[in-house]
Amino acid sequence: MNYENRINELMSRMTLEEKIGQLQQCGPSLVGSFDVDVEELMNMVFDGRMTKEELMALLASSKRDFHEDDLRAGRIGSYMGVTHAETALRLQKIAVEESRLGIPLLFACDVIHGFKTVTPIPLAESCAWDKVLWEKTARMAAEEATSAGIQMTFAPMVDVSKDARWGRIAESAGEDALVNGAYGTAKVRGFQTDDPSRPDALSACVKHFAAYGAAEAGRDYNRVDMSRLRLYEEYLPSYEACVKAGALAVMPAFNDINGEPCSSNRWLLTEVLRNQWGFHGMTVSDSNAVDELVNHGNVFDRADAAKQALEAGMDMDMASGCFIENLKVLAESGKLDVDALNRAVADVLRVKFTLGLFDDPYQTTTEREAAALMSGEKRTVAREAAQKSIVLLKNNGVLPLKAGTNLGIMGSLADNRDEMLGTWAVDANSQTCVSIVDACKAQGILYTYFKTAADACASDCDVILAAVGEKKTESGEAASKVSIDLSAEDMEILKTLHDAGKTVVTVLFNGRPLAISWLKENVPAIVEAWHPGTEAGSAILDILFGRVNPSAKLTTTFPASAGQCPMYYDHINTGRPGGKSKFTSKYIDAPIEPVYPFGYGLSYTTFTYSGLAAKQQEKGVAVSVTVANTGDRAGDEIVQCYFRDPVARRVRPVQKLADFARISLEAGEQKEVSFFLPYETFGYYDQSMSYVVDDGEIIIMVGGSSVDTIHTNLVLART
Ligand code: GLC
């Protein structure tokens, strides 16, 4: 749909102040005036120092007008952090019915992995390698969020993340560009549908553009410095995939790239995003990021920050106030590129038209909201997502547990609903979550919950389930760590149980890869549950008792130590890749191999691969392989297709994911799986930034893990 005429006509009637007002997004602290700083309130809820109910009571008691004069004067274009239909509708009514031009507001919020019905954190759900599931959970989140008056989510986050120290790896789809791109594309489809004007369509906002996951030393907000080659090959493709999928918004990242902060990076926001990728949506800053250009040191003051950001390609200013405070004076004094201002306003209006807000600004009702939240099949979807995100890392045969197993349970995380939500579940009610203990009670499982390891050791339980790992606040934003080890308390529990000869099944709750070498060596079974969301306990018991066969595969490498970070599968060979000699690329105090590699995950059945063939065709390479289920029960397998270009004009990774497929096989069943790899798959940027595809040998590797593949070679000869 083309809205340009309607946009131009409306803009011809807008005053300078009304134009600038469209670029102002009020953060939570501007949604209303509170006695206490809202940011602090949000942190208190995140940290568990305040329950949501206490916060809501405080809001109800202290909120006053939502800057209603600003709304009537057209000085606010959007709010973030409004999460109730009643509030959104009241604000919208003022904007539409009491302002001069009646331009509708855009309500945005962080709906990252569910709204009220919470699905596993993105890093977990990415381990499902399931595009259908990814789209389905996004659609469910959109149904809930739009019912509450939200029209844009600050998701998907597709920052390729190769460093376990970085807390926001929890929000990503892991270390691979293709997986992040596939995940993000599915999310854009699920949020927006093919008709973004639908009342239940939610605008995606792809973030954080760009390469935020490459923060030096894994320290959040830190610098990002890399070649254009690497940026284009490893870090930009996931955002580009989402833009090509039709994402209506993009959020520039807090970090700089090679000295240019993303928020004022003209090359990134105009040359790449708009000129190269053809993006016609809107950009919205990260929270206060325009103001933070002053800290970065590439602008003189807030006014200069507003100018540099707007002229570089930033359309909307989240929460900093730099735009609303400075653009008018800059424009009137001839110090602002007015074309940039008009571009920004047109971008914002285009998204509002596309979302149908001009035709129907009140896209929900409180009745729709009440009917939508946590209703119908939403818990079933959340449970399925958790089942498919749980990675079986080790199993010496103790799993699946038999019915009637006398189960001991240890670890506070086994009986904590709130921690199951994970990071960025900003509006969920933890009391609706199901913990492991809740699930045991609901399912009549024979269990004993032990507070001390001594009691567990003295018991006659057949198996002790040890729930260990991270609280939800130990990952996510501003949660980088220098250690990715389990806590001393967790290790104490595990070693006490081990030394007592107890049969232990470890369930990990975490938002990042953890260094679990000791577990791998000493514990019979390890189940990676991440932070699985609303139906955590139900899904975990489904896996433990074998009602569901685990199928998830890691999308992030598990290092042996933080000292190895960043660690990832698609590494280069180096000139001294390994072998008997001392003088090879390695550590003298840690292995060079990961504890668990990218693409790895076990099942209760087994799969074999055979008959791999790769044939050159006119526009690419056709790959086929036969996968057989050689075990005694049905299962899903994630078939991974990698390639290596052993000789090129520059060094290339030893392995790169080219495609993947999730298949279901009955016991004894086999299927032929096919991939078609266009020639561009094998290409790379040369030093002059030309994208080249060489003729010559290519190695194709296919298997159920990056380290367990069968190979075939072929020689590309396209001429
Ligand atoms: C935060 C995050 C961003 C989020 C935004 C709004 O600082 O960086 O991911 O969408 O602010 O909450």
Side-chain angles (χ1 to χ4, degrees):
M1 177 80 84
N2 184 304
Y3 298 104
E4 300 318 298
N5 293 337
R6 291 179 71 180
I7 291 168
N8 295 334
E9 189 282 325
L10 176 54
M11 287 181 69
S12 68
R13 291 184 284 125
M14 292 171 74
T15 65
L16 174 61
E17 194 167 20
E18 287 165 336
K19 287 182 177 178
I20 294 167
Q22 284 303 304
L23 312 185
Q24 163 73 355
Q25 182 177 74
C26 288
S29 57
L30 293 180
V31 164
S33 297
F34 303 99
D35 303 328
V36 177
D37 174 52
V38 176
E39 187 109 16
E40 171 54 22
L41 287 177
M42 290 169 77
N43 289 332
M44 288 167 78
V45 174
F46 281 158
D47 299 343
R49 288 176 285 148
M50 174 186 280
T51 67
K52 224 172 100 14
E53 291 66 27
E54 287 164 345
L55 173 62
M56 297 317 292
L58 181 62
L59 296 184
S61 67
S62 64
K63 77 183 171 190
R64 62 177 179 73
D65 298 336
F66 288 95
H67 287 225
E68 296 187 2
D69 296 346
D70 292 333
L71 283 175
R72 291 188 185 94
R75 286 196 291 267
I76 297 175
S78 171
Y79 281 103
M80 59 83 68
V82 174
T83 56
H84 293 88
E86 183 273 334
T87 306
L89 291 168
R90 191 156 59 79
L91 295 170
Q92 190 70 290
K93 184 170 171 52
I94 296 170
V96 168
E97 298 178 16
E98 299 179 34
S99 72
R100 190 176 73 89
L101 293 171
I103 299 174
L105 293 165
L106 172 68
F107 291 91
C109 189
D110 294 284
V111 183
I112 309 301
H113 52 107
F115 181 58
K116 291 294 184 187
T117 308
V118 177
T119 45
I121 57 171
L123 183 60
E125 197 188 21
S126 70
C127 293
W129 300 61
D130 186 337
K131 298 171 187 175
V132 172
L133 174 74
W134 293 336
E135 182 171 341
K136 180 159 64 170
T137 55
R139 185 82 307 267
M140 176 171 79
E143 284 166 10
E144 289 195 335
T146 55
S147 80
I150 297 164
Q151 295 125 3
M152 177 181 285
T153 176
F154 301 125
M157 185 270 218
V158 291
D159 304 341
V160 165
S161 307
K162 300 173 185 253
D163 196 321
R165 295 170 294 180
W166 192 51
R168 304 200 76 168
I169 191 170
E171 305 170 47
S172 79
E175 68 195 50
D176 181 73
L178 185 128
V179 173
N180 272 279
Y183 171 86
T185 301
K187 292 298 175 185
V188 169
R189 280 198 307 268
F191 289 143
Q192 297 186 177
T193 76
D194 54 10
D195 175 10
S197 69
R198 286 169 39 167
D200 64 349
L202 185 68
S203 167
C205 177
V206 181
K207 70 185 186 183
H208 304 82
F209 191 53
Y212 185 13
E216 190 171 275
R219 178 158 57 87
D220 206 357
Y221 315 122
N222 204 6
R223 71 186 304 179
V224 169
D225 206 285
M226 69 173 73
S227 68
R228 284 271 170 95
L229 289 171
R230 190 167 196 196
L231 203 53
Y232 270 90
E233 281 186 10
E234 297 181 38
Y235 286 89
L236 292 182
S238 53
Y239 309 103
E240 182 178 10
C242 295
V243 166
K244 297 294 169 60
L248 293 174
V250 169
M251 179 188 289
F254 283 126
N255 53 282
D256 72 290
I257 295 178
N258 303 334
E260 287 253 33
C262 294
S263 298
S264 59
N265 191 321
R266 187 186 299 262
W267 170 77
L268 192 69
L269 303 185
T270 295
E271 176 50 30
V272 174
L273 182 61
R274 290 174 166 102
N275 296 348
Q276 291 179 18
W277 296 354
F279 177 66
H280 285 295
M282 60 178 269
T283 55
V284 53
S285 79
D286 204 332
S287 186
N288 201 44
V290 176
D291 172 80
E292 289 165 14
L293 292 173
V294 177
N295 295 335
H296 276 288
N298 69 319
V299 300
F300 291 103
D301 52 26
R302 283 168 58 86
D304 192 24
K307 172 183 170 65
Q308 299 301 332
L310 183 83
E311 293 180 356
M314 184 73 80
D315 293 331
M316 187 174 275
D317 172 14
M318 183 195 296
S320 88
C322 289
F323 279 16
I324 198 78
E325 289 165 16
N326 297 289
L327 291 183
K328 186 168 186 288
V329 169
L330 285 167
E332 288 170 342
S333 58
K335 294 175 183 166
L336 187 73
D337 173 1
V338 179
D339 290 345
L341 175 64
N342 287 326
R343 175 220 72 228
V345 176
D347 288 345
V348 170
L349 293 178
R350 187 174 305 111
V351 169
K352 291 184 174 183
F353 275 112
T354 305
L355 289 172
L357 292 175
F358 280 92
D359 300 328
D360 173 13
Y362 309 108
Q363 298 193 343
T364 189
T365 63
T366 51
E367 293 76 16
R368 179 189 155 205
E369 180 185 42
L373 301 182
M374 299 205 80
S375 61
E377 293 304 301
K378 294 189 173 72
R379 276 187 178 273
T380 306
V381 173
R383 186 166 179 170
E384 176 199 357
Q387 291 161 353
K388 289 182 171 180
S389 305
I390 293 170
V391 188
L392 181 59
L393 295 177
K394 182 181 178 185
N395 179 25
N396 73 348
V398 66
L399 296 178
L401 300 175
K402 296 176 178 55
T405 297
N406 179 5
L407 189 62
I409 298 176
M410 277 220 68
S412 61
L413 291 168
D415 191 21
N416 188 313
R417 297 170 183 158
D418 190 46
E419 297 302 344
M420 301 297 102
L421 290 170
T423 187
W424 284 111
V426 295
D427 210 69
N429 173 358
S430 57
Q431 290 317 306
T432 63
C433 285
V434 178
S435 69
I436 289 177
V437 168
D438 289 330
C440 286
K441 288 173 183 168
Q443 298 178 24
I445 302 287
L446 173 61
Y447 80 96
T448 308
Y449 183 66
F450 296 105
K451 295 277 189 196
T452 74
D455 294 344
C457 292
S459 76
D460 61 354
C461 292
D462 305 317
V463 171
I464 306 291
L465 186 162
V468 296
E470 295 181 317
K471 295 183 183 305
K472 66 181 186 178
T473 52
E474 294 184 66
S475 62
E477 185 172 359
S480 294
K481 286 183 166 182
V482 294
S483 166
I484 57 172
D485 300 333
L486 282 171
S487 68
E489 181 192 1
D490 283 344
M491 290 309 297
E492 173 67 22
I493 290 172
L494 292 164
K495 288 183 173 176
T496 302
L497 295 170
H498 172 265
D499 295 348
K502 306 306 283 184
T503 300
V504 177
V505 171
T506 302
V507 177
L508 287 174
F509 293 104
N510 44 302
R512 58 159 50 80
L514 296 176
I516 52 174
S517 306
W518 186 89
L519 280 184
K520 181 178 181 180
E521 295 308 315
N522 296 288
V523 171
I526 306 169
V527 173
E528 173 55 81
W530 309 106
H531 289 126
T534 301
E535 284 293 319
S538 314
I540 289 165
L541 293 193
D542 290 337
I543 297 286
L544 294 181
F545 283 92
R547 292 190 290 267
V548 169
N549 190 357
S551 57
K553 306 269 185 175
L554 294 177
T555 55
T556 179
T557 297
F558 274 53
S561 154
Q564 293 173 306
C565 292
M567 191 172 202
Y568 44 90
Y569 83 97
D570 53 341
H571 59 81
I572 60 166
N573 209 30
T574 78
R576 296 193 170 189
K580 294 267 184 284
S581 163
K582 165 182 166 55
F583 302 97
T584 57
S585 179
K586 66 173 182 297
Y587 304 96
I588 60 172
D589 58 350
I592 192 72
E593 299 75 21
V595 175
Y596 289 110
F598 177 82
Y600 170 87
L602 299 177
S603 169
Y604 291 145
T605 186
T606 49
F607 299 98
T608 60
Y609 288 72
S610 62
L612 177 60
K615 290 185 182 58
Q616 189 172 328
Q617 295 184 347
E618 185 189 356
K619 296 189 183 307
V621 175
V623 177
S624 63
V625 68
T626 299
V627 186
N629 178 343
T630 49
D632 59 6
R633 63 173 292 171
D636 286 2
E637 170 69 331
I638 294 156
V639 182
Q640 301 153 50
C641 179
Y642 299 88
F643 78 93
R644 180 178 186 177
D645 178 358
V647 179
R649 296 176 223 172
R650 33 176 284 259
V651 297
R652 304 293 316 285
V654 297
Q655 202 173 20
K656 190 146 190 67
L657 186 69
D659 204 348
F660 63 88
R662 184 186 175 99
I663 62 171
S664 299
L665 289 173
E666 294 300 324
E669 184 185 7
Q670 67 178 38
K671 275 181 189 168
E672 180 172 291
V673 179
S674 302
F675 300 102
F676 181 73
L677 309 180
Y679 285 125
E680 294 70 36
T681 309
F682 308 108
Y684 59 96
Y685 288 91
D686 67 12
Q687 295 301 344
S688 67
M689 288 305 289
S690 300
Y691 193 74
V692 296
V693 179
D694 296 335
D695 283 347
E697 184 186 18
I698 291 286
I699 304 168
I700 302 288
M701 303 161 245
V702 178
S705 153
S706 60
V707 297
D708 182 11
T709 57
I710 57 176
H711 302 199
T712 185
N713 293 23
L714 78 157
V715 178
L716 292 189
R718 291 168 300 132
T719 44

